[in-house]
Amino acid sequence: MTDIHTTIDGLRAALAPHRADGRRIVLVPTMGALHAGHLALVRHARSVGDVVVVSIFVNPLQFGPSEDLDRYPRTLDADIVALDALVDLVFAPSATEMYPEGAGGTMIAAGDVGTLYEGASRTGHFDGMLTVVAKLFNIVQPAAAVFGQKDAQQVFLVRRMVRDLDLPVTIEVEPTVREEDGLALSSRNRYLDASDRRAAVMLSAALTDASDAASRGTAAAREAARMRLEPEQAVKLDYLVIVDPATFLPVADDYRGPASMLIAARVGTTRLIDNASLQLG
Ligand code: PAF
């Protein structure tokens, strides 16, 4: 039976004996609405740790005023069933438990890369995300934490925060889990109606086309992705960018080597993101 905690003190008390026994604690931070992608993170956590903690918290600080905080799916009972037998502890605090004084307190600043791509479309998103991740690291004090590659910019910024602030935690990253047709799993996919769902697959198709064209250079990769997305009326592209994975800044046109293509688009009323590694020739 999974041990479920809603308070910071309760969770810390439950973790104390594990820590005293020298057991390796691994955290999987989530916002719930769990799907097979989250379960892959949990399985990875199990393979690298002795005690697996999953946090389920829809973090208000990482949603802008016009975003889907109220509408974000909350499926705690089903999440707990899905995690049963896979994890040792679930931490599902309220917003008041995490932010007793509400918003307006100390925040982590995500810095320059935090204002690009997702950060440009979602002002303050990464400051809020890093703030809650830092709090979770302090509350759980895990040896490692597992994140999904689907949120590539989040992974880059979490790694940078860990480096910049000398946080004693190892970041593990698991590949994106996809539907059979390529659509990246996301808690927001449940918002897609049947016709949006058909259109949404174009994001991963565009990434595949870009990857196939990558040996011909950045312009060819970008053009291949755009050709796939542009005819699809239901897909409103927000950004399509090729970045250097080391800096997360856009690559120059003559760049050769490993890169990541990031795509964000609105499909119907749902904002989706996806990314893929490219080898640019
Ligand atoms: O990726 C997410 O689900 C969230 O951004 C995270 C890391 C749980 C922080 O709220």
Side-chain angles (χ1 to χ4, degrees), residues 29-32 38 55 57-59 62 72 125 128-129 132-133 136 147 151 154 158:
T30 80
M31 296 206 301
H38 295 110
S55 62
F57 178 59
V58 182
N59 173 36
Q62 69 189 72
Y72 197 84
H125 167 68
M129 180 279 294
V132 82
V133 169
L136 291 167
F147 292 82
D151 296 302
Q154 168 168 284
V158 168

Side-chain angles (χ1 to χ4, degrees), residues 259-276:
S260 302
M261 177 173 272
L262 316 177
I263 296 182
R266 190 163 285 281
V267 182
T269 57
T270 308
R271 194 159 183 288
L272 299 176
I273 59 172
D274 202 351
N275 69 87

Side-chain angles (χ1 to χ4, degrees), residues 51-166:
V51 179
V52 177
V53 182
V54 171
S55 62
I56 298 179
F57 178 59
V58 182
N59 173 36
L61 291 194
Q62 69 189 72
F63 288 78
S66 59
E67 292 185 27
D68 58 350
L69 173 62
D70 293 337
R71 185 178 165 229
Y72 197 84
R74 288 163 174 84
T75 59
L76 186 58
D77 292 344
D79 292 346
I80 287 167
V81 171
L83 293 172
D84 194 34
L86 294 179
V87 310
D88 301 289
L89 296 105
V90 170
F91 179 49
S94 64
T96 321
E97 178 70 9
M98 291 295 273
Y99 305 113
E101 288 164 36
T106 307
M107 298 274 294
I108 302 274
D112 50 3
V113 173
T115 64
L116 305 175
Y117 329 125
E118 278 305 280
S121 298
R122 307 183 62 192
T123 308
H125 167 68
F126 287 120
D127 296 354
M129 180 279 294
L130 289 181
T131 301
V132 82
V133 169
K135 277 177 72 75
L136 291 167
F137 286 174
N138 285 329
I139 292 165
V140 177
Q141 298 181 25
V146 189
F147 292 82
Q149 180 57 32
K150 174 165 167 292
D151 296 302
Q153 193 176 2
Q154 168 168 284
V155 165
F156 176 87
L157 291 169
V158 168
R159 281 193 157 134
R160 197 167 78 170
M161 173 178 76
V162 164
R163 231 177 24 245
D164 289 351
L165 302 184
D166 305 300

